[in-house]
Amino acid sequence: MTVRVRIAPSPTGYMHIGTARTALFNYLYAKHHKGQFLLRIEDTDRERSTPEAVTALIDGMKWLGLNWDEDVTFQFERSPRHAEIAREMLAKGHAYYCYATPAELEQMREEQKAKGLPQKYDGRWRDRDPKDAPAGAKPVIRLKAPQVGATVVRDLVLGEISVNNTELDDMVLLRSDGTPTYMLAVVVDDHDMGITHVLRGQDHMTNTFRQVQIYKAMGWDVPKFGHIPLINGEDGKKLSKRHGAVGLHEYQFMGYLPEAVRNYLLRLGWAHGDDEIISDAQAIEWFDTDGLQKSPARFDTKKLRSLNAHYIRQADNARLLSLILPLLSEKASFTVGEMAQQKVLRGMNSLKTRAETLIELADAAMVYVMEHAATNDSKARALLADEGNKALLESFLPRLAAQNDWTATALEASVRSFTEEKGIKLGALAQPLRAAVTGLTVTPPIFEVMEHLDREVVIHRIKASVSA
RNA sequence: GUCCCCAUCGUCUAGAGGCCUAGGACACCCGCCUUUCACGCAGGUAACACGGGUUCGAAUCCCGUUGGGGACGCCA
């Protein structure tokens, strides 16, 4: 049997980081088992679904590199089919009309809550004759769920899980306006799409029991289920906006590489021995449900950053340049030209070992973009305000002006011989030099920066700082 | 409140009854390298929630307690 899995997000604004991880797991599961990975947009909630949100979901999937097979299924388009199944269940005696009004049900729940009873539909229309229906009332269709026994699921992650059927109530399948509920639509779509394995968050566990009852009522094959532990915030509480970013796109904006996010998400709730850095090919080769964790994991930004730093170091320089180019132009307030881009590219090897995000990479790369040295670094200004340093720089200037070989190696040699003659440490001149040339105290190796910067620019900046 | 699920360093995790004096990674601390900052390399601190069983032997199996998460909609 070919494995067919799906990710079924609802378009309610953006792609949640947890949804992204579930999508990744499903994708890898499909690839590992040489099956198909499908995308279904669950847009049956017409109030909240928007075309923008659908686009956000699709963009998120593409950014993460999770390409799906076949066409995207839009759940709402299938509502006639869902209604058809609801009527079929009605005909088979597995469902019934319920005329209770929302207000009536709310009152029922409040009474249950007040008495400390479990909150669930009490089945008031289960055995009642539809002839008793109030005139003009629009009914919903409810599942006639089994009231004895237990519903048992052999979970791919948790093992056997079960619940007594007395705990489950008769859920709504078709709303009074004729539209299907999530519970019905998911089952019908998964069945029609030939889904064999459902890997989803543990927040769906109770839904699974109820959905299994629908499969059984229809006499359909029940797919295998696997309930993935949820992602919590750094404080162990439910991941929410107050923890920072929950939208996948936010990670993109914060300068994370998709491969880093992929690797991080993969290791959150899943492991393959002690492996940490895992390539896409290895992920496909290794991923299976036996490596999934049972308990929830906390989101750790520090580890994500560390992984991101790793992948930035691995990344192709030209790719990095293209990724930070919009950032550079934005920071500079002008379009960064070809010359500056070439300087950044030449300095990239040193820049990328110092950045954990693309934002930091862009910040550091600005030394090659700006016309003048930075002026807002107080430590650098203090260094240049020192008369001794000024005198030192001034006395070194003629050497620099006479410098033939404008390479990092030669520049370093020149500075070394100068400091040796003066009997001072290399850093005694290198650091003021860094401050004068860049306006900063922390940069890539200063001789390399000088090499990539034009000679005239370097000399001009030193002169400017000396005479300031 | 009711039901479901879970429980190893601060965090992510390895661990399938003896290989565990509990391993790795991130973070943290320290050293080396060094023109700053990083990278890299070498060390270090740090965990089996608790209580009962089962067993010659338990981080691993069972029960309970505690703690955590989730679900209880004509949302998905």
Side-chain angles (χ1 to χ4, degrees):
Chain A
M1 180 180 60
T2 309
V3 165
R4 280 171 73 82
V5 297
R6 48 59 167 189
I7 180 72
S10 51
T12 50
Y14 56 90
M15 189 168 200
H16 193 275
I17 191 78
T19 305
R21 187 185 61 155
T22 303
L24 173 67
F25 287 174
N26 276 281
Y27 169 87
L28 293 173
Y29 191 77
K31 293 293 164 195
H32 176 82
H33 291 283
K34 301 194 168 29
Q36 285 104 43
F37 169 63
L38 310 180
L39 173 61
R40 182 174 73 227
I41 307 285
E42 308 223 316
D43 54 351
T44 51
D45 185 341
R46 304 316 286 170
E47 304 275 303
R48 290 195 285 172
S49 298
T50 63
E52 292 74 27
V54 172
T55 305
L57 242 22
I58 287 174
D59 287 350
M61 292 285 289
K62 287 183 176 167
W63 181 73
L64 245 201
L66 306 180
N67 301 316
W68 59 93
D69 300 302
E70 304 176 12
D71 292 333
V72 178
T73 300
F74 288 90
Q75 191 161 60
F76 181 69
E77 292 174 1
R78 294 177 39 79
S79 43
R81 166 68 176 160
H82 304 141
E84 177 192 326
I85 295 300
R87 284 191 296 273
E88 196 177 325
M89 291 178 72
L90 205 54
K92 285 180 173 171
H94 290 306
Y96 61 91
Y97 285 116
C98 168
Y99 294 87
T101 62
E104 191 185 334
L105 293 173
E106 185 161 338
Q107 191 192 341
M108 178 193 74
R109 279 186 214 104
E110 278 185 17
E111 284 170 11
Q112 289 168 338
K113 194 173 181 179
K115 289 179 188 166
L117 295 168
Q119 292 170 54
K120 54 180 199 175
Y121 176 67
D122 59 7
R124 55 186 64 185
W125 282 92
R126 185 178 168 105
D127 299 309
R128 208 161 151 190
D129 196 320
K131 284 186 203 126
D132 295 346
K138 290 225 173 179
V140 299
I141 294 178
R142 284 184 184 271
L143 176 75
K144 199 167 197 171
Q147 292 178 312
V148 293
T151 298
V152 182
V153 174
R154 288 206 175 280
D155 191 277
L156 261 16
V157 178
L158 303 169
E160 188 174 289
I161 54 175
S162 70
V163 68
N164 283 326
N165 288 337
T166 50
E167 302 298 332
L168 269 22
D169 64 3
D170 292 345
M171 65 194 147
V172 173
L173 300 174
L174 205 67
R175 289 188 268 259
S176 53
D177 64 359
T179 61
T181 60
Y182 161 78
M183 224 50 95
L184 206 222
V186 172
V187 173
V188 174
D189 288 348
D190 282 343
H191 172 263
D192 288 357
M193 289 165 75
I195 299 301
T196 59
H197 300 257
V198 176
L199 261 43
R200 71 214 313 197
Q202 287 185 355
D203 51 336
H204 282 282
M205 251 194 289
T206 49
N207 291 337
T208 299
F209 294 123
R210 317 178 77 124
Q211 289 166 16
V212 165
Q213 294 185 335
I214 300 178
Y215 280 100
K216 295 246 171 91
M218 286 305 294
W220 289 341
D221 286 341
V222 182
K224 297 236 187 313
F225 290 95
H227 292 95
I228 302 161
L230 268 24
I231 300 175
N232 290 338
E234 316 227 0
D235 59 358
K237 300 294 179 193
K238 184 179 175 137
L239 188 63
S240 67
K241 290 191 184 88
R242 71 194 157 77
H243 291 107
V246 288
L248 182 66
H249 64 286
E250 295 175 79
Y251 290 90
Q252 180 181 3
F253 294 150
M254 288 188 290
Y256 292 97
L257 255 18
E259 60 265 45
V261 174
R262 240 181 281 142
N263 197 150
Y264 177 71
L265 254 21
L266 175 63
R267 283 287 290 100
L268 201 61
W270 181 85
H272 179 269
D274 284 336
D275 294 302
E276 296 286 349
I277 304 291
I278 301 172
S279 71
D280 293 333
Q282 286 170 326
I284 290 170
E285 187 187 334
W286 292 337
F287 188 84
D288 215 333
T289 50
D290 56 4
L292 283 168
Q293 204 70 16
K294 291 181 176 183
S295 46
R298 298 186 190 201
F299 196 90
D300 183 3
T301 306
K302 293 258 183 66
K303 189 153 183 177
L304 206 210
R305 286 180 68 87
S306 155
L307 236 19
N308 203 48
H310 169 84
Y311 283 103
I312 285 176
R313 274 176 252 136
Q314 300 287 304
D316 174 74
N317 289 353
R319 175 184 170 215
L320 290 173
L321 173 63
S322 72
L323 285 171
I324 64 170
L325 199 49
L327 266 38
L328 296 179
S329 293
E330 191 185 325
K331 285 173 194 295
S333 301
F334 56 77
T335 303
V336 174
E338 185 63 27
M339 295 296 278
Q341 288 184 39
Q342 287 307 313
K343 290 187 179 100
V344 172
L345 202 52
R346 281 195 289 269
M348 192 60 90
N349 282 341
S350 295
L351 289 169
K352 70 183 183 181
T353 60
R354 293 165 170 75
E356 290 194 317
T357 67
L358 295 176
I359 306 288
E360 290 176 7
L361 184 64
D363 280 339
M366 289 305 283
V367 291
Y368 296 124
V369 172
M370 297 311 283
E371 190 68 23
H372 304 287
T375 54
N376 54 356
D377 185 317
S378 60
K379 284 181 186 166
R381 293 173 72 154
L383 226 41
L384 295 174
D386 183 278
E387 290 302 326
N389 284 339
K390 275 188 178 181
L392 193 62
L393 284 171
E394 192 159 23
S395 63
F396 178 64
L397 220 32
R399 293 275 186 113
L400 214 48
Q403 181 82 22
N404 289 320
D405 186 0
W406 196 261
T407 62
T409 321
L411 286 163
E412 180 176 344
S414 178
V415 172
R416 273 190 194 282
S417 64
F418 183 82
T419 52
E420 274 164 24
E421 287 165 27
K422 293 269 180 184
I424 57 173
K425 284 185 179 175
L426 182 65
L429 176 53
Q431 201 57 1
L433 205 48
R434 186 190 315 278
V437 174
T438 68
L440 304 167
T441 54
V442 175
T443 73
I446 188 58
F447 306 119
E448 184 194 326
V449 174
M450 288 165 73
E451 175 187 323
H452 299 324
L453 247 26
D454 293 332
R455 168 198 201 102
E456 296 69 32
V457 170
V458 170
I459 290 174
H460 180 261
R461 288 184 185 182
I462 295 171
K463 279 182 179 166
S465 73
V466 165
S467 60

